[in-house]
Amino acid sequence: MEQKQDLIHRINANYKKMSKGQKLIAEYILNNYDKAAFMTAAKLGKKVGVSESTVVRFANVLNYEGYPQLQKALQELIRNKLTTVQRIEMTSELDRSMVLKNVLKADINNLKLTIEEIDNQVFDIVVQRMLKADNIYILGLRSSAPLAQFMGYYLGFVFSNVRIVTSGVNDVFEQIMHISKDDLLIGISFPRYAGRTIEAMAFAKDKGAQIVALTDSFLSPLTSYADYTLLARSDMASFVDSLVAPLSLINSLIVAAGLAKKTDVSKEFSQLEKIWDEYKVYVSKDKE
């Protein structure tokens, strides 16, 4: 909401000094910002009936460095409300021959932004909360379910009290009904945020549990119920959620917890290696 008000404020503050063409762009954006967010400068100009250069100058009038920055502000505003069809529209202009490079570059950028924005102090506190919790509940639904399962799988080698909460035979609330003040719940969700995740976090909060939100922005609805928030960028390249940075952040939490319990983890894996070898869980390295 703050971003939307900022954008409206910029338009209102500069409207009187805009040219006739720029005013047409402003009016279109105010009435159709959900559509404008998917348009290139050329496409927006054509839709409104002005030149591409007029669109670029319009962004400058609003004190954006260029049209891409204005477009990003629009996309940030609505991305938690995007339908799958609208997400596809966002990449309708992409050259198919450039898809691989563009997607990889977007993921690299997500990682860079995550490194710049992560709060190391909060990260360390979350690791400490994991070490002290009676039970660790890891909640992830829909596209975040694989993240919760991955995190739960590896944390299970570090702790014996990890519970993965995701869609299944039991309802989410049945899976967390015994959560208490000595437990920790890590809620994972990215745009479009899963409503059930938010409801479950609110339930756990009411039960007195410590809550960690692993999400993309402080504007995320998960932060309302979180004691601690860890941010990982997930800007999408298409209808597919980008989970590279969130997964990397989860990896970091697992590694940090593992280092804190290095001796226990080493013993655990020594026993597991014997079991895996006896029951041939993995292909033998000596097998030809």
Side-chain angles (χ1 to χ4, degrees):
M1 183 60 70
E2 184 178 332
Q3 285 180 315
K4 181 177 179 180
Q5 293 302 324
D6 179 59
L7 179 58
I8 292 174
H9 174 75
R10 291 191 190 201
I11 291 176
N12 288 337
N14 294 282
Y15 189 80
K16 289 184 178 180
K17 66 181 181 182
M18 291 181 187
S19 66
K20 183 179 178 180
Q22 291 170 348
K23 287 180 178 178
L24 289 174
I25 300 170
E27 289 166 6
Y28 182 82
I29 286 178
L30 288 174
N31 294 317
N32 305 278
Y33 61 87
D34 56 331
K35 296 178 181 177
F38 312 133
M39 297 179 179
T40 62
K43 192 172 181 179
L44 178 57
K46 184 177 180 180
K47 183 69 177 181
V48 177
V50 300
S51 67
E52 180 178 355
S53 58
T54 300
V55 176
V56 174
R57 285 194 293 272
F58 170 79
N60 295 145
V61 167
L62 297 183
N63 294 317
Y64 291 108
E65 293 180 2
Y67 180 74
Q69 193 178 64
L70 169 59
Q71 187 181 45
K72 183 172 179 61
L74 285 165
Q75 292 176 359
E76 284 283 338
L77 169 66
I78 63 168
R79 61 185 179 147
N80 63 316
K81 300 179 180 178
L82 299 182
T83 65
T84 303
V85 173
Q86 288 172 323
R87 288 189 180 200
I88 293 173
E89 286 184 37
M90 290 181 69
T91 51
S92 60
E93 303 287 328
L94 273 180
D95 183 342
R96 289 186 183 181
S97 66
M98 296 297 292
V99 167
L100 176 60
K101 287 186 177 180
N102 285 335
V103 171
L104 292 176
K105 285 181 179 178
D107 281 334
I108 291 170
N109 189 54
N110 282 334
L111 286 168
K112 287 181 177 178
L113 291 172
T114 299
I115 292 171
E116 292 172 3
E117 297 170 357
I118 196 71
D119 188 323
N120 287 298
Q121 184 176 4
V122 174
F123 177 90
D124 291 338
I125 292 173
V126 170
V127 173
Q128 290 303 312
R129 291 292 179 269
M130 290 165 60
L131 293 168
K132 294 178 180 179
D134 281 358
N135 295 287
I136 302 171
Y137 292 82
I138 302 173
L139 169 65
L141 304 175
R142 304 190 67 80
S143 61
S144 293
L147 293 174
Q149 290 165 341
F150 179 90
M151 187 176 192
Y153 174 76
Y154 279 103
L155 278 184
F157 294 120
V158 182
F159 304 100
S160 60
N161 58 352
V162 176
R163 304 188 182 192
I164 301 171
V165 183
T166 190
S167 301
V169 176
N170 293 344
D171 186 82
V172 168
F173 293 110
E174 294 172 5
Q175 297 177 55
I176 63 172
M177 65 181 293
H178 298 298
I179 196 168
S180 71
K181 63 181 179 63
D182 297 316
D183 297 330
L184 178 72
L185 182 139
I186 301 174
I188 308 171
S189 194
F190 296 85
R192 304 159 71 188
Y193 310 103
R196 204 60 160 178
T197 296
I198 299 164
E199 292 170 350
M201 290 176 70
F203 175 84
K205 185 76 171 177
D206 287 341
K207 299 274 276 186
Q210 290 279 294
I211 310 294
V212 175
L214 205 165
T215 189
D216 67 310
S217 165
F218 282 114
L219 297 175
S220 164
L222 276 69
T223 62
S224 298
Y225 304 100
D227 297 293
Y228 309 101
T229 298
L230 290 173
L231 301 183
R233 288 299 189 106
S234 66
D235 297 343
M236 76 285 290
S238 178
F239 62 93
V240 180
D241 293 320
S242 175
L243 301 179
V244 172
L247 184 59
S248 187
L249 175 55
I250 286 170
N251 271 339
S252 300
L253 288 169
I254 295 168
V255 171
L259 287 174
K261 298 191 65 175
K262 185 176 180 180
T263 302
D264 293 337
V265 173
S266 181
K267 290 179 180 178
E268 178 87 3
F269 275 108
S270 292
Q271 294 177 19
L272 282 171
E273 286 292 346
K274 293 177 181 178
I275 295 171
W276 291 337
D277 184 56
E278 180 180 353
Y279 291 96
K280 297 181 172 53
V281 173
Y282 296 108
V283 176
S284 172
K285 60 183 179 182
D286 298 325
K287 186 175 180 179
E288 294 297 332

